[in-house]
Amino acid sequence: MDVADLPGVPSWLPEHLQSAGIEALYPPQAEAVEAGVTRGENLVASIPTASGKTLIAQLAMLSAITDAAGASERERSDPETPPADGDGTALGGTALYIVPLRALASEKQAEFEEFEQYGLDVGVSTGNYESDGGWLADKDIVVATSEKVDSLVRNDAPWLDDLACVVSDEVHLVDDAERGPTLEVTLAKLRRINPDMQTVALSATIGNADVLAEWLDAELVDSDWRPISLKKGVHFGQALHLEDGSQSELPVRNSEKQTAAIVRDTLDDDGSTLVFVNSRRNAEAAAGRLASVTREALTPEEREQLADVAAEIRDVSDTETSDELADAVADGAAFHHAGIASGHRELVEDAFRDRLLKVVSATPTLAAGVNTPSRRVVVRDWRRYDGTAGGMQPLSVLEVHQMMGRAGRPGLDPYGEAIIPAASHDELDELFDRYVWADPEPVQSKLAAEPALRTHLLATVASGFARSRDGLLEFLERTLYATQTDESGRLARVADEVLGYLQRNDFLERDGEELSATALGHTVSRLYLDPMSAAEIIDGLRSGGGSAASGDDAGEEPAEFTTASDLADEAGGDEAKDPTAMGLYHLVARTPDMYELYLRSGDEEEYSQIAFEREAEFLGRVPSEFEDDRFEDWLAALKTASLLEDWASEVDEDEITDRYGVGPGDIRGKVESAQWLLGAAESLASELGLDAAPAIRRARTRVEHGVREELVDLAGVRGVGRKRARRLFDAGIESRADLRDAEKSVVLAALRGRAKTAENVLENAGHRDPSMDGVEPSEEVSYERSDGDGRASDGEETTDDQTSLGDF
């Protein structure tokens, strides 16, 4: 189908597509149009990566929010007609594009902003779970994560009533135990709010796309077509064995690893390689080894460009991880995992897309939708440690196929190859049977589990979607789980258990058959908290200082459901008047909404000693060391809290990463979670009339900026951050007011002679004359002047001070 023949789309779209070199649709795109995607029909598109899913989404959204047919006639006859876009096409309703990851939200926003030249307005929203996103009401296309959309529903965002189209990208992730239930419930709620809304679900090739289509009352496009061929195979010995039975020579030299041989062979054909491994440590180690292969293939121009990228990477973070990544990047290799900072990830992804980087070794996080294709994909590690299984377990076919789908760049590569290295002839056969020739598993709803239902049932009642048990079960019948299940009554049994928990914790009330959320329940739902997190926080704030378990109850099994008031009675019921920052960090670190740090060998003894020394600071009951699992979890939370306390005490970032065995991205994640949970704790304290709110606010602000209390005011000035704030404070500038009236020469010296930085900081503080023209640094303040290339004038390497998380 030619794009000139597209029905129901804005009149400017065909010419726009043609200007981008798109004259005709890919076969799956044409199937989608024939199935009615531009006429408002629901659609599930299960097609491979790089086969045109995004254009299918654009066709749906643009046709849904613009009414090309008859718009001009209405404008002539009705002065109340909505305003038109730049092409004379009337706009109506909003299109919502749901993504699983924040990184994908930014990527899709950039793609959709090309339509703003035609009068459309694009917005993105991924954070602030307490907001109703009112500013999004004027947007024509909104990009958001599923968690953010869920929070918008809970906060009753009025513009959701005007949705004309919702697109769910990577919808097969309903199979994910952690994030899947949120996506599933959110789609069910949006469809109930807007019965006439068009729903488009985009998926990788899966084994039961027809079930998703049945759930969403949608037409199905299920295709394995790709714009360039993908050859899957296994490398063994000195040869690459492909799925069609053919073989080609791919020799491994003496002492060379298989992966290095594949990368070298790909470079010989001017291609790039994406290597998937099973851990962060393996990703970093592989990048270091493969850099010796890529180094030899770089041109002088590429070396110069990569040196600039490496310098930017060092500027992101003062950590060993940052230095190791920069070293690898300078040689044409990189690693990518959740432990690196977002700035690191963006630089690596951009350089790989630009073909500057020749190889990236990554954990599977890079397979989850981010646009980073390559000539070859190597699935080096097809087993991963699974704690629930007690050892290494094979990856799913769907996950491996997602990785393989990254092979081949349309327009750049003549083909794509996905390779799994085999260590033996038997493994060669096993890998063909297990992955190369296998079909992906069917996706399965994970909704009918107590942790998932705990938060979604409260939100469903609090937001008015259900006002009785029967109404709740009727709503749940709209979910994928209800479409799939053959187990009669299971959902009702789990729902009843959760309802009992919510009642006992004063989040829900029951009057006969009627269900309603209490004021506290409404607050918990609005704050986007797991109700169990809220119960833990409330207990801690009510109970004050910790107390060890008595010998009488040590080792007893905890009750299945423990209420906040029960726990407060255990701890004596005293209200915490002035909790310490450590006490508050530990309180939020032990909630289900915070991922605790792992206890390494020797950690239990170290943190048990800290627990003994600082027992009075802890909020709520301290479990006995004889309660093995509970005590170990409590200590893991203490380790997490110690990281937060170090960050808020201005401990150097590199020291934190070394002390806790984490990456800069992990610190950022913990800090963001702590900010959110402490903000929620402050709201709960106010709701319950507790006196802890000021102390919580101080602890939250400190962890937000990574500073001691005396720097909170200064660090809040945009462009200052933790290290600049300390330098300014040491120079006698102790507050925003001081900065506003400060001598410019003193500020310039404190900021190491960086005139542009000093100007920006003074402007943000409201200084009457921020210009640094003619200003010389004060001689009374010591500083090191940089010569502009990252080195101080005495030859020592420096990193300018703002590598704090607030800058990412």
Side-chain angles (χ1 to χ4, degrees):
M1 178 183 290
D2 291 339
V3 297
D5 300 327
L6 282 171
V9 299
S11 56
W12 50 261
L13 184 59
E15 185 176 344
H16 174 84
L17 294 175
Q18 289 167 344
S19 68
I22 302 173
E23 295 288 344
L25 299 182
Y26 288 159
Q29 295 167 341
E31 284 187 56
V33 173
E34 291 165 3
V37 76
T38 61
R39 299 193 307 272
E41 296 292 335
N42 295 342
L43 181 80
V44 170
S46 175
I47 58 180
T49 300
S51 297
K53 289 195 287 282
T54 299
L55 181 55
I56 292 174
Q58 292 171 347
L59 293 176
M61 294 190 297
L62 294 172
S63 61
I65 64 176
T66 58
D67 182 7
S72 299
E73 180 64 32
R74 286 201 309 275
E75 288 170 7
R76 287 193 297 271
S77 62
D78 184 0
E80 300 300 320
T81 298
D85 67 12
D87 186 57
T89 303
L91 303 180
T94 302
L96 175 63
Y97 193 98
I98 302 176
V99 294
L101 302 171
R102 288 188 181 188
L104 263 178
S106 300
E107 183 179 297
K108 293 303 177 184
Q109 178 191 20
E111 288 183 32
F112 300 155
E113 281 177 344
E114 67 183 24
F115 301 130
E116 291 188 340
Q117 62 184 301
Y118 304 106
L120 275 68
D121 202 356
V122 178
V124 63
S125 183
T126 58
N128 190 5
Y129 293 136
E130 297 177 56
S131 165
D132 67 0
W135 66 276
L136 296 168
D138 296 328
K139 303 297 182 183
D140 300 301
I141 298 175
V142 175
V143 184
T145 60
S146 54
E147 289 81 7
K148 178 58 184 179
V149 179
D150 184 22
S151 77
L152 289 169
V153 173
R154 296 186 191 199
N155 285 280
D156 198 25
W159 60 271
L160 291 178
D161 295 341
D162 298 324
L163 285 182
C165 175
V166 62
V167 176
S168 179
D169 199 358
E170 309 287 338
V171 74
H172 54 273
L173 292 177
V174 293
D175 190 74
D176 184 86
E178 293 177 359
R179 311 188 77 171
T182 296
L183 176 59
E184 183 177 344
V185 169
T186 299
L187 285 175
K189 288 181 177 178
L190 290 177
R191 297 183 71 222
R192 180 164 171 180
I193 293 171
N194 301 281
D196 297 326
M197 176 188 73
Q198 181 183 17
T199 303
V200 176
L202 309 176
S203 170
T205 303
I206 56 175
N208 60 340
D210 58 324
V211 174
L212 292 180
E214 178 187 352
W215 169 44
L216 297 173
D217 303 312
E219 299 295 318
L220 175 63
V221 172
D222 192 357
S223 172
D224 58 5
W225 183 90
R226 283 175 52 100
I228 59 175
S229 64
L230 173 62
K231 306 172 184 178
K232 301 174 186 174
V234 179
H235 183 271
F236 173 64
Q238 302 293 313
L240 174 60
H241 305 254
L242 294 174
E243 58 187 321
D244 62 1
S246 64
Q247 297 181 26
S248 60
E249 186 180 12
L250 205 167
V252 180
R253 297 172 180 170
N254 292 337
S255 74
E256 189 178 40
K257 300 288 187 182
Q258 279 176 285
T259 303
I262 296 169
V263 170
R264 175 178 46 75
D265 185 75
T266 311
L267 284 169
D268 289 343
D269 196 28
D270 196 30
S272 59
T273 310
L274 186 55
V275 180
F276 284 107
V277 298
N278 59 12
S279 71
R280 298 178 184 184
R281 182 176 298 177
N282 284 339
E284 294 174 10
R289 288 193 299 270
L290 293 172
S292 62
V293 179
T294 58
R295 184 186 305 126
E296 305 305 319
L298 299 176
T299 66
E301 183 182 1
E302 287 173 333
R303 289 180 190 278
E304 186 176 338
Q305 292 176 283
L306 286 168
D308 291 338
V309 178
E312 290 185 71
I313 285 172
R314 293 186 200 277
D315 284 343
V316 168
S317 173
D318 284 338
T319 62
E320 185 178 347
T321 299
S322 190
D323 288 338
E324 290 178 354
L325 179 59
D327 290 343
V329 164
D331 287 331
F335 54 84
H336 187 293
H337 57 63
I340 63 176
S342 59
H344 289 148
R345 290 197 294 271
E346 290 166 8
L347 288 165
V348 167
E349 291 163 13
D350 288 344
F352 193 57
R353 279 191 287 261
D354 292 341
R355 312 193 86 172
L356 281 175
L357 286 172
K358 307 305 179 184
V359 62
V360 172
S361 58
T363 55
T365 53
L366 196 59
V370 180
N371 182 26
T372 50
S374 62
R375 171 74 58 79
R376 271 178 172 155
V377 165
V378 179
V379 184
R380 196 197 75 177
D381 299 338
W382 52 276
R383 295 185 183 91
R384 179 171 52 215
Y385 180 77
D386 184 345
T388 61
M392 303 295 285
Q393 295 295 312
L395 300 177
S396 69
V397 179
L398 177 59
E399 189 169 2
V400 170
H401 281 199
Q402 277 285 89
M403 299 175 195
M404 289 178 160
R406 294 287 153 203
R409 305 184 187 205
L412 292 176
D413 293 320
Y415 61 89
E417 281 186 349
I419 304 169
I420 313 176
S424 66
H425 200 282
D426 286 345
E427 191 171 272
L428 169 70
D429 294 337
E430 179 187 359
L431 291 173
F432 267 100
D433 290 338
R434 182 184 291 277
Y435 295 118
V436 177
W437 291 327
D439 293 323
E441 302 87 354
V443 300
Q444 194 73 31
S445 168
K446 300 299 189 294
L447 181 61
E450 190 267 331
L453 282 178
R454 195 165 56 219
T455 183
H456 291 299
L457 291 195
L458 174 60
T460 300
V461 175
S463 55
F465 278 89
R467 302 184 186 278
S468 66
R469 177 183 179 276
D470 288 344
L472 197 60
L473 295 177
E474 181 183 348
F475 169 75
L476 292 174
E477 286 299 315
R478 297 171 174 263
T479 63
L480 174 62
Y481 179 83
T483 301
Q484 288 187 307
T485 187
D486 294 325
E487 189 178 348
S488 176
R490 182 188 172 195
L491 199 57
R493 288 195 302 274
V494 179
D496 284 336
E497 291 177 359
V498 172
L499 288 175
Y501 172 81
L502 295 173
Q503 275 187 272
R504 292 195 294 275
N505 280 276
D506 303 323
F507 299 138
L508 286 184
E509 291 178 335
R510 235 174 171 161
D511 183 7
E513 289 299 309
E514 294 296 308
L515 288 173
S516 61
T518 63
L520 181 59
H522 277 287
T523 298
V524 170
S525 180
R526 175 178 57 81
L527 293 171
Y528 207 69
L529 282 176
D530 182 328
M532 188 171 282
S533 292
E536 185 76 29
I537 290 169
I538 292 168
D539 162 57
L541 296 179
R542 282 176 168 166
S543 64
S547 59
S550 69
D552 293 336
D553 64 7
E556 286 184 6
E557 279 292 314
E560 183 177 1
F561 296 109
T562 306
T563 71
S565 54
D566 290 339
L567 290 168
D569 291 341
E570 265 187 47
D574 294 326
E575 193 177 301
K577 299 295 184 184
D578 192 18
T580 66
M582 167 57 94
L584 291 165
Y585 297 153
H586 183 260
L587 176 61
V588 299
R590 64 179 190 255
T591 65
D593 282 309
M594 174 74 84
Y595 290 102
E596 299 167 344
L597 293 177
Y598 176 73
L599 286 180
R600 297 178 296 188
S601 176
D603 280 350
E604 186 164 346
E605 182 178 353
E606 177 185 350
Y607 289 100
S608 294
Q609 182 64 30
I610 294 174
F612 175 76
E613 292 171 353
R614 304 184 67 170
E615 181 177 347
E617 296 185 59
F618 301 121
L619 304 174
R621 176 180 175 273
V622 180
S624 163
E625 60 187 293
F626 298 107
E627 300 173 81
D628 292 338
D629 291 341
R630 293 180 68 187
F631 188 61
E632 186 172 316
D633 287 343
W634 195 93
L635 289 181
L638 179 54
K639 181 178 180 179
T640 308
S642 296
L643 181 152
L644 294 170
E645 185 182 50
D646 281 352
W647 174 253
S649 300
E650 302 175 50
V651 174
D652 186 77
E653 190 179 358
D654 194 33
E655 186 177 341
I656 293 175
T657 60
D658 183 60
R659 181 180 299 173
Y660 297 96
V662 298
D666 297 307
I667 301 175
R668 180 179 187 268
K670 294 290 182 287
V671 167
E672 284 189 346
S673 295
Q675 282 179 249
W676 161 51
L677 290 167
L678 288 166
E682 185 180 347
S683 295
L684 290 172
S686 298
E687 174 84 26
L688 297 169
L690 304 177
D691 295 333
I696 299 171
R697 192 177 309 117
R698 290 193 299 272
R700 178 176 58 81
T701 307
R702 283 185 57 197
V703 83
E704 175 186 358
H705 297 297
V707 295
R708 297 177 185 271
E709 195 157 342
E710 67 267 21
L711 295 188
V712 164
D713 189 36
L714 263 181
V717 176
R718 188 160 55 92
V720 174
R722 68 196 310 238
K723 292 188 177 180
R724 289 177 185 157
R726 177 54 64 191
R727 292 196 179 103
L728 289 166
F729 190 92
D730 291 344
I733 302 170
E734 300 183 0
S735 67
R736 183 187 296 259
D738 290 347
L739 187 56
R740 191 179 300 122
D741 299 323
E743 288 288 336
K744 292 191 288 185
S745 62
V746 173
V747 174
L748 185 58
L751 298 182
R752 294 185 164 184
R754 297 176 183 266
K756 185 62 176 176
T757 298
E759 280 187 7
N760 290 337
V761 165
L762 288 177
E763 184 177 352
N764 294 334
H767 197 282
R768 63 186 179 279
D769 179 21
S771 173
M772 283 288 157
D773 291 344
V775 177
E776 291 295 328
S778 170
E779 295 181 0
E780 297 178 7
V781 181
S782 63
Y783 75 99
E784 290 178 313
R785 180 188 295 275
S786 169
D787 62 11
D789 67 355
R791 293 188 177 274
S793 55
D794 61 359
E796 289 299 315
E797 184 170 338
T798 66
T799 52
D800 190 25
D801 34 15
Q802 292 317 288
T803 53
S804 72
L805 298 180
D807 293 331
F808 295 164

